[in-house]
Amino acid sequence: MSAETPITVRHAVARDADALAGISGRSWRATYPGIVPDRVLAEWIAEAPAMWHGAFESRPPDGPWRAWVAEREGVVLGYATTLPAEDKWLPPPDGAGELTNLYLDPHVIGVGVGRLLYEHAAADLRARGFNPFVVWAFRDNARALRFYERMGPSIDVPDHTWELGGVPCPIVRFRLDWPVGAADASIGSA
């Protein structure tokens, strides 16, 4: 794989499920020890293939859930998923769209793949009329917190908990309100 070959972002499709499960496992294994309880992390990794295959089987391609992959020369490097914001932990702001996942193969962290996926997913949510943009992250995932802060959102829910395997895991929510009627404004701008 040549570093000069551009990275492209496209809709994920069912044939990507195994690649997405592999990236999920490698990313979670590299990121979440000490953040997510070991038993829960092992379950997530073991269940990733079935979860991804099920996601593509149960969701219509033109539905509100969108999955995106970044790839170079046919190799999937990372993914992002979006949907209308859900009431998983707290009621979302009215009209919000949510970045529900953004994970990279660990060997491509820091080379711009995450930024490409983030910008593509945020642009899609904005084009579909969602405002504001929200994303949840584990409070103890310092790399994710720095990344989202660089992208423009700010923390609007600084102290919430996701209980995993009976263990409270602190999470935060980032929010970005796009200017109404400023369709040409930069995605990363607040």
Side-chain angles (χ1 to χ4, degrees):
M1 196 168 19
S2 168
E4 281 75 49
T5 304
I7 297 168
T8 59
V9 177
R10 64 167 172 81
H11 274 285
V13 293
R15 73 175 178 274
D16 295 316
D18 291 330
L20 298 175
I23 290 169
S24 297
R26 290 186 295 277
S27 179
W28 298 339
R29 196 174 287 113
T31 305
Y32 290 147
I35 296 174
V36 171
D38 292 343
R39 181 178 58 78
V40 173
L41 182 55
E43 288 172 8
W44 285 1
I45 293 167
E47 294 169 0
M51 185 272 304
W52 276 109
H53 284 280
F56 287 109
E57 290 169 7
S58 66
R59 294 181 171 111
D62 59 346
W65 176 80
R66 305 270 172 94
W68 310 97
V69 295
E71 67 179 359
R72 178 184 284 147
E73 295 182 358
V75 176
V76 176
L77 306 172
Y79 66 87
T81 61
T82 60
L83 50 70
E86 296 181 328
D87 186 356
K88 187 170 183 177
W89 296 290
L90 290 173
D94 288 341
E98 185 172 350
L99 175 64
T100 50
N101 292 285
L102 196 159
Y103 291 101
L104 308 177
D105 224 333
H107 76 279
V108 299
I109 291 172
V111 301
V113 176
R115 175 181 287 277
L116 284 172
L117 282 165
Y118 173 90
E119 289 174 348
H120 191 90
D124 172 68
L125 286 170
R126 188 167 183 185
R128 290 194 282 156
F130 295 107
N131 193 12
F133 167 93
V134 297
V135 59
W136 289 91
F138 286 104
R139 187 195 65 205
D140 296 335
N141 185 350
R143 179 180 283 150
L145 300 185
R146 286 190 309 269
F147 174 80
Y148 291 123
E149 287 167 351
R150 282 193 315 271
M151 295 296 101
S154 56
I155 293 175
D156 75 324
V157 178
D159 187 28
H160 202 65
T161 301
W162 183 9
E163 191 165 309
L164 293 166
V167 176
C169 299
I171 56 175
V172 299
R173 187 178 71 193
F174 285 86
R175 176 179 176 152
L176 176 64
D177 289 87
W178 290 305
V180 177
D184 297 327
S186 171
I187 295 298
S189 300

